[in-house]
Amino acid sequence: MTAEQVTQGLRERIGDALLESEPRGDRRVYMTIDPAEVVAAADELFNKMGGRYVITAATDRREKHGSFLVTHFFSFDDDDLYVILHANVPEDDPRIASITPTIPGAGWAEREMQDLLGVEAVGHPDPRRLVLPDDWPTGVFPLRTDFSSQDKPEASMEGAPQMTAIPEGAVVVPIGPYFPTQHEPESFAVFVDGEVVVGSDYRGFYNHRGIEKLGSSDLTYNQIPFIAERICGICGFVHSCAYCMAVEEAAGIEVPRRADYIRTIFLELERLHSHMLWTGVAGHIIGYDTLFMQTWRMREPLMWLAEQLSGNRKTYGMNIVGGVRRDVDKKDFPKIEKVLADIEREWTALQEAVPGDRTLTARLGNVGVITPEEVRELCSLGPVARGSGDTVDIRVDHPYAAYDELEVSKCVEDGCDTLARTFVRLRETPVAISIIRQCLEQMPEGEIRAEITEEIPPGLQGIAAVEAPRGESFHWVLTGEENRPERWRVRAPTYSNLQAVSTMINGDVLADVPIDIGSLDPCYSCTDRMTVIDRRSGQMRVMTREEMRNSRNR
Amino acid sequence: MGVLKTLWSKLKQAILALKPGRVTLGYPFTPREPEEGFRGLPRVDVNRCIGCGGCAEVCPARCIRVVDTDQTTRVLCFLHERCTFCGRCAEVCPVNAIEMTKEFELSTDDPHEDLVGEYHIWMGPCERCGRCFEAPSALDRLKRTGMRCDEIDAKCAIACPAGVEADSEETKS
Amino acid sequence: MTLQSYLPTIGIALGQMLLVLLVAPLLEGMIRKLRAVIQSRKGPPIWQPYLDLMKLLAKEDLRVCASPIVTWGPPVMLAAILVAAGIMPMGGAVPASEVADLVVFIGLLALANLTLAGMGFSTGSAFSSLGASREVMIMLAAEPVLFISLLVLAMQSGSLTFAGMLEAPFNIAAVAAAITYLLALQMYVAKVPFDITEAETELIGGPLSELSGPRLALTHWAIFAKQFIYSSLFIQLFLPWTMTVIPWLGLAIVANVVLVLVLDLLVVGVAMSVNPRLRLDQALRYGMTLAGIAAVALIYSAAL
């Protein structure tokens, strides 16, 4: 699918409802459609043309344009093309037809839009509250521009979402809000019959920090990379990198090639440490603590290396709009080579041992199954998709930074289970090492940061997708006034992957649930990045008590 | 046979795991230096600082406050409790007055007392409005004293040692 | 018989109980240390379990429910294990062999396990009850292995008493029984890969999750003690010759303790370090297989 073909196809389907289509280069098409035809357009792009649904964003543009802007993003991975579908929803009737019946993976994004901007998705199969806390009053929408980042509305429990109906004869096992193997707050209510899972419900978004709100109301372009980096505690560099690339694309800033290479090195360093961390955590979840300790031991020199290169072991603080802040010096190359060689040696031993380990494969095999069809419907990403035979890898499909000049091999497995996802991550680790080596070899000399002399004009758009260790991290920036974005939308990969959990755990036994959830490498902070919260300890207690009650009424 | 093979592979894993030996560090009883290049707590050299406030402008965590306590004293207040060690302040400082030290152990039971860095900077007051506007050291370089703030505005480009214009993207973003 | 003639027996039994009570935490501490070594860690000092127990015992006694099973469960569990320790052979003379035989012994251990399961069921939390039901399932898989493999010795010696079983001939059936016992040891002591009942990362402690303070201490102590007596039983019944081979250790009872420590480190400690936890169905299948092997050995010894 080229940009013209997509435009052509869409014009045939919805005719004049396609108000505007503006390709930008070969890789992006910005379209504006009549909101009445949004379902038809989504159906055409997703079902007929085979595009992948990425995310939905809504923006409050009432002040200047008298409307809400609802944007659906689609991707054509084989053709390196992103399609951006804008629809202007009038402010006096903020409603748009829901695309969730057509694309199940859009469920959360549309609920989030309802929660935060008050744009109703008409016909949504599950319109319960998703993002806002239980005690948030109804009718207050924190991402609207007339809501200040400092506002604290009165608490009210009217809008609290109800748990889905519990199947007959099932027990509710609460996995969360605090659970030993989930290292962040989240809450799965798992319905079990005996030991077999018959259903589940999710209530999360406990980590809301209002980051998107801050980005469009308080911070400036070059302050955001540092808060973007703190969206996630493991793949933070991915977010700051994606944000900077989105702004650079919007403003047309040419980043020096050397900076691209340095970003690539750090992206891969991050993938390395993340996959090692995951392998350890997965071991810990199934009770194999030696695997946990040993992979984390292997990982530690990598953290020290990052500390030396960037100034910090995890939140590198390297990215800034226009390039990077610190150069990777020639004299550090031997140290990098040595750390990589050590890891490669030990990792190879581990990689060889896992398939032959009968207890390990017995625990991981045939659990958490997600079929290729489900992957496509739920829009799963990263190792989850690649473990089920999907080949999406943004590094190859939509090359960014220096990946267009590097050799990246995709790691795809077709086991569809937790074991397959484990193998994907095990195999990706040596690939990351080889990419860093290629970078060190090919890195050109030159500047590391583009000089930005003019203010970034408002109204420009840029998108960036980065292959995080967990899948595609997607950022969209709409530039605004006062030296800050008008809207900055972040979609972390776990946002898509978490929606697949209920499909994955159904039919498994309870013992497999922690490792099934763990096999996503879930990152709740990434997912929960937004909205403004008023944390009241009292409300948390209500939640727990309710769950305790449910778990007692067996 | 399968059982024996499993037993052997398990035993091999145990032996493999014994190889690296003990890696537990004695921290905090034996201190551990961070790596070369580590960015820790920022410290300000008050003799160099010209009080331009650029650091406060760029700080992503908003942890630097600039307050003029009287006509000749400008106080830079670093709330280290919130500092993320990003080093943006040191990066934009036109006179390199901020150094990122290697300090990182900030645990304390009184963050409001122990984690506040206060720096008093001697400023030259404006002849007309009486507010502080430039550090004497910078005025020395211009070989001028007794300035008025509206006069110095045009000279800003000359005054700034980093050659940054007052309104440029650099200090703003 | 007069009361006086029972005194030595009671003395030995009490001595053995005290020994198990005091040494069992050390055993746990050493296993933890070995695990730390395999995990490249420094690990806690080997007397850490004693400190843990002391701390828990000194804590406030909080109860989540008034059920008598939770109130009396921990002491009953520890008592059952200790009485079992009192009647089993430990290198010296076998105490109370005439009144308390193999059946009593296995009954006491089952009582302890059932008490644990009962505590889990009666607290009413989802995790506890799931853990309790797992405990019962595991028991159904592990107890037959234990019983059948010991029955092989009883069959050969023609006696259900421990004193009789110590005299059992050491033939091929006994070797098969010994191997099944050893392979099932991890299951008896409920350590990874068979810590399915507690499964910290799945059931956050299972039946123990609602216990705290002194009650948790007693339950832990009982579990440590259980670990000791299962290992000790293996040394005594299947390797009785070790008691005579190592005379330089002086007392056979000391030799027994040393051998238990070695056995637990080599088998329990290593196995729990290099395995993930099994799923319940996998553990049950493992238990069934071992019970099958033990049954074959039993039939063979009956045919002898």
Side-chain angles (χ1 to χ4, degrees):
Chain A
M1 285 286 157
T2 61
E4 291 86 63
Q5 282 170 318
V6 171
T7 314
Q8 193 61 37
L10 217 53
R11 199 174 293 286
E12 274 167 27
R13 174 77 185 261
I14 60 171
D16 288 342
L18 178 60
L19 303 173
E20 202 184 316
S21 172
E22 180 208 342
R24 195 180 307 168
D26 298 334
R27 310 177 65 194
R28 316 272 189 259
V29 194
Y30 288 86
M31 297 182 179
T32 310
I33 59 162
D34 186 338
E37 290 294 334
V38 69
V39 176
D43 179 54
E44 183 71 23
L45 288 169
F46 186 75
N47 290 326
K48 300 276 159 49
M49 299 186 191
R52 175 171 61 83
Y53 168 77
V54 180
I55 191 64
T56 298
T59 314
D60 180 4
R61 307 192 88 185
R62 289 176 299 168
E63 241 168 71
K64 291 259 166 65
H65 302 80
S67 62
F68 289 99
L69 179 69
V70 174
T71 317
H72 297 300
F73 297 86
F74 292 87
S75 161
F76 290 88
D77 297 322
D78 296 335
D79 308 284
D80 187 9
L81 177 72
Y82 277 101
V83 178
I84 296 95
L85 210 61
H86 288 306
N88 284 300
V89 180
E91 65 175 315
D92 44 10
D93 182 27
R95 289 165 357 125
I96 189 165
S98 167
I99 61 166
T100 308
T102 319
I103 307 168
W108 277 19
E110 288 194 326
R111 283 166 75 183
E112 182 174 328
M113 173 175 87
Q114 299 191 122
D115 277 14
L116 302 184
L117 279 124
V119 179
E120 192 190 335
V122 181
H124 194 292
D126 178 16
R128 288 178 303 159
R129 181 179 280 186
L130 175 75
V131 176
L132 294 175
D134 285 2
D135 62 339
W136 190 270
T138 47
V140 180
F141 304 106
L143 263 187
R144 288 191 175 180
T145 44
D146 49 15
F147 187 93
S148 151
S149 63
Q150 305 302 317
D151 283 355
K152 282 182 184 166
E154 275 298 307
S156 141
M157 290 298 284
E158 312 163 37
Q162 295 295 313
M163 208 202 286
T164 46
I166 303 161
E168 193 75 20
V171 186
V172 181
V173 176
I175 309 260
Y178 295 98
F179 197 76
T181 55
Q182 306 298 320
H183 305 127
E184 290 168 75
E186 43 51 62
S187 176
F188 289 94
V190 180
F191 311 142
V192 295
D193 192 351
E195 284 245 347
V196 180
V197 178
V198 292
S200 62
D201 195 13
Y202 177 76
R203 179 86 176 116
F205 293 85
Y206 297 130
N207 289 320
H208 313 155
R209 288 151 290 166
I211 288 178
E212 282 180 13
K213 180 75 182 176
L214 286 176
S216 55
S217 66
D218 289 54
L219 300 172
T220 59
Y221 280 120
N222 263 339
Q223 287 178 333
I224 296 179
F226 299 93
I227 199 164
E229 190 148 41
R230 281 159 179 83
I231 287 175
C232 179
I234 300 170
C235 55
F237 190 81
V238 164
H239 287 290
S240 64
C241 196
Y243 162 77
C244 290
M245 291 193 323
V247 176
E248 286 151 11
E249 183 178 301
I253 298 163
E254 195 69 40
V255 178
R257 207 59 192 141
R258 189 175 176 86
D260 276 341
Y261 270 90
I262 293 173
R263 280 180 180 173
T264 311
I265 291 175
F266 277 94
L267 283 169
E268 292 304 320
L269 278 179
E270 196 166 67
R271 189 181 322 281
L272 266 184
H273 97 72
S274 174
H275 280 352
M276 296 174 100
L277 173 136
W278 179 83
T279 311
V281 169
H284 171 66
I285 292 175
I286 54 173
Y288 194 174
D289 285 349
T290 304
L291 184 65
F292 169 51
M293 293 289 171
Q294 294 296 346
T295 48
W296 282 47
R297 173 187 59 73
M298 289 180 214
R299 171 179 175 262
E300 196 55 26
L302 201 64
M303 308 310 283
W304 293 338
L305 176 70
E307 187 171 289
Q308 184 182 344
L309 295 179
S310 73
N312 209 323
R313 58 185 270 133
K314 184 57 224 45
T315 34
Y316 307 141
M318 289 285 281
N319 277 314
I320 202 107
V321 175
V324 291
R325 293 172 61 206
R326 217 191 252 204
D327 204 353
V328 176
D329 205 49
K330 263 250 148 52
K331 74 175 182 357
D332 291 329
F333 282 17
K335 171 95 184 264
I336 303 175
E337 297 278 7
K338 188 182 174 306
V339 173
L340 291 183
D342 285 349
I343 291 175
E344 193 176 32
R345 183 170 37 79
E346 293 200 274
W347 198 260
T348 316
L350 182 83
Q351 215 181 334
E352 280 165 6
V354 170
D357 190 316
R358 291 191 13 175
T359 39
L360 211 54
T361 47
R363 267 320 293 276
L364 299 176
N366 286 323
V367 298
V369 174
I370 180 161
T371 63
E373 294 75 44
E374 286 161 349
V375 162
R376 186 171 150 66
E377 279 198 347
L378 298 167
C379 312
S380 303
L381 296 162
V384 178
R386 290 197 288 278
S388 294
D390 198 318
T391 59
V392 55
D393 187 330
I394 309 302
R395 292 176 292 174
V396 183
D397 297 336
H398 303 277
Y400 52 92
Y403 286 106
D404 50 346
E405 290 179 4
L406 303 170
E407 197 186 312
V408 184
S409 54
K410 288 185 180 181
C411 303
V412 181
E413 295 274 335
D414 48 14
C416 302
D417 54 7
T418 303
L419 189 63
R421 297 191 271 280
T422 309
F423 284 147
V424 169
R425 295 198 177 90
L426 288 179
R427 283 171 51 199
E428 275 184 2
T429 308
V431 174
I433 294 177
S434 107
I435 293 173
I436 299 173
R437 286 190 178 137
Q438 292 176 48
C439 284
L440 296 182
E441 238 167 64
Q442 301 177 15
M443 192 154 71
E445 294 295 322
E447 288 292 308
I448 54 165
R449 190 171 162 180
E451 203 67 42
I452 301 167
T453 45
E454 281 160 35
E455 200 151 314
I456 298 173
L460 301 175
Q461 295 177 58
I463 58 174
V466 170
E467 182 73 19
R470 300 159 175 75
E472 176 202 46
S473 275
F474 183 88
H475 285 229
W476 171 59
V477 170
L478 173 61
T479 60
E481 282 157 5
E482 296 175 1
N483 201 26
R484 68 172 62 101
E486 182 181 347
R487 181 79 165 94
W488 165 42
R489 178 73 165 102
V490 182
R491 200 287 322 265
T494 308
Y495 193 86
S496 295
N497 288 341
L498 260 186
Q499 297 177 59
V501 164
S502 62
T503 314
M504 252 182 206
I505 61 177
N506 254 1
D508 281 353
V509 294
L510 185 66
D512 292 326
V513 172
I515 185 63
D516 287 350
I517 300 173
S519 76
L520 299 177
D521 199 355
C523 186
Y524 301 106
S525 295
C526 282
T527 309
D528 301 357
R529 85 238 84 83
M530 52 159 33
T531 202
V532 187
I533 44 149
D534 184 10
R535 230 182 279 246
R536 282 160 200 270
S537 54
Q539 293 316 318
M540 280 305 287
R541 257 201 319 274
V542 169
M543 184 72 191
T544 321
R545 218 170 24 222
E546 184 188 20
E547 281 184 354
M548 290 305 288
R549 235 194 343 262
N550 282 328
S551 61
R552 271 155 195 263
N553 295 343
R554 280 176 298 119
Chain B
M1 272 334 273
V3 178
L4 285 182
K5 223 168 122 188
T6 309
L7 283 180
W8 172 235
S9 84
K10 290 292 175 193
L11 214 59
K12 226 166 55 183
Q13 283 178 34
I15 294 165
L16 212 66
L18 283 174
K19 237 176 169 177
R22 180 196 288 187
V23 294
T24 313
L25 299 174
Y27 188 83
F29 304 108
T30 39
R32 185 174 186 281
E33 272 287 297
E35 297 290 320
E36 201 55 47
F38 173 73
R39 242 185 1 243
L41 198 67
R43 291 260 181 239
V44 181
D45 181 350
V46 284
N47 295 322
R48 279 197 191 174
C49 179
I50 54 171
C52 70
C55 44
E57 182 84 19
V58 297
C59 178
R62 302 266 170 89
C63 67
I64 309 172
R65 281 196 196 136
V66 181
V67 190
D68 292 347
T69 49
D70 59 50
Q71 286 192 350
T72 53
T73 320
R74 176 164 283 179
V75 179
L76 277 190
C77 188
F78 278 66
L79 307 170
H80 291 148
E81 195 186 349
R82 277 161 62 176
C83 179
T84 62
F85 302 170
C86 73
R88 276 290 278 165
C89 48
E91 192 178 303
V92 299
C93 181
V95 288
N96 292 327
I98 303 180
E99 184 206 356
M100 299 305 283
T101 62
K102 284 198 163 190
E103 285 172 58
F104 64 96
E105 289 156 314
L106 305 182
S107 303
T108 169
D109 43 16
D110 189 3
H112 304 295
E113 184 62 35
D114 300 342
L115 292 184
V116 177
E118 265 191 15
Y119 303 97
H120 294 253
I121 294 138
W122 175 244
M123 302 291 285
C126 170
E127 285 279 283
R128 182 186 282 167
C129 62
R131 276 182 257 163
C132 10
F133 75 104
E134 187 65 271
S137 59
L139 291 176
D140 282 349
R141 263 194 294 281
L142 284 176
K143 306 240 180 302
R144 302 183 71 162
T145 43
M147 295 285 290
R148 296 201 323 224
C149 54
D150 47 1
E151 275 176 53
I152 201 90
D153 234 18
K155 304 273 179 348
C156 215
I158 324 166
C160 182
V164 181
E165 279 181 47
D167 236 335
S168 77
E169 188 64 32
E170 191 85 15
T171 46
K172 213 170 175 190
S173 50
Chain C
M1 291 241 284
T2 61
L3 183 66
Q4 236 155 11
S5 64
Y6 277 115
L7 275 181
T9 294
I10 295 171
I12 293 172
L14 285 177
Q16 290 191 359
M17 289 180 191
L18 201 65
L19 179 79
V20 169
L21 205 57
L22 291 181
V23 178
L26 178 73
L27 185 61
E28 175 70 17
M30 289 180 74
I31 290 177
R32 284 189 196 172
K33 194 78 180 177
L34 177 81
R35 231 177 124 201
V37 169
I38 292 180
Q39 294 176 351
S40 303
R41 287 188 288 127
K42 184 181 176 195
I46 53 173
W47 55 84
Q48 187 65 44
Y50 293 104
L51 303 178
D52 291 351
L53 291 177
M54 272 158 60
K55 183 177 119 185
L56 285 174
L57 281 172
K59 284 198 166 195
E60 190 189 348
D61 183 16
L62 291 172
R63 264 175 284 170
V64 287
C65 67
S67 158
I69 305 185
V70 178
T71 314
W72 293 105
V76 167
M77 189 177 164
L78 183 60
I81 299 272
L82 286 182
V83 174
I87 62 171
M88 67 176 289
M90 266 190 201
V94 186
S97 197
E98 297 310 313
V99 289
D101 58 6
L102 182 61
V103 179
V104 175
F105 178 78
I106 287 181
L108 283 167
L109 291 178
L111 173 67
N113 290 345
L114 280 176
T115 313
L116 183 62
M119 287 193 283
F121 278 126
S122 49
T123 49
S125 103
F127 292 115
S128 281
S129 5
L130 273 165
S133 71
R134 285 178 176 197
E135 172 77 28
V136 175
M137 297 292 278
I138 284 285
M139 222 178 96
L140 289 178
E143 296 283 303
V145 189
L146 176 71
F147 194 65
I148 299 173
S149 54
L150 293 182
L151 217 53
V152 171
L153 295 184
M155 185 78 87
Q156 304 218 16
S157 60
S159 157
L160 272 174
T161 61
F162 284 115
M165 283 161 72
L166 281 176
E167 307 299 319
F170 197 68
N171 56 17
I172 184 105
V175 171
I179 289 173
T180 48
Y181 189 102
L182 195 62
L183 286 175
L185 183 61
Q186 204 77 356
M187 226 166 170
Y188 305 151
V189 300
K191 283 269 153 86
V192 180
F194 297 101
D195 67 330
I196 300 167
T197 312
E198 289 170 34
E200 187 226 335
T201 48
E202 291 162 19
L203 295 184
I204 41 182
L208 307 185
S209 62
E210 299 287 338
L211 298 176
S212 65
R215 264 159 238 288
L216 185 61
L218 292 185
T219 316
H220 271 313
W221 213 332
I223 291 171
F224 297 160
K226 199 167 81 172
Q227 188 169 318
F228 184 94
I229 63 175
Y230 276 119
S231 315
S232 177
L233 196 67
F234 178 78
I235 305 280
Q236 290 302 320
L237 291 184
F238 293 105
L239 307 170
W241 48 272
T242 50
M243 293 298 104
T244 52
V245 168
I246 330 180
W248 44 266
L249 277 166
L251 279 166
I253 207 152
V254 177
N256 182 51
V257 170
V258 172
L259 284 169
V260 165
L261 291 179
V262 171
L263 176 80
D264 267 19
L265 285 181
L266 288 184
V267 178
V268 180
V270 173
M272 73 182 288
S273 302
V274 295
N275 275 305
R277 181 184 315 111
L278 286 176
R279 217 162 36 217
L280 186 61
D281 56 315
Q282 290 161 344
L284 293 184
R285 212 173 313 133
Y286 183 81
M288 302 294 184
T289 316
L290 288 182
I293 296 172
V296 171
L298 183 66
I299 295 166
Y300 180 73
S301 63
L304 273 178

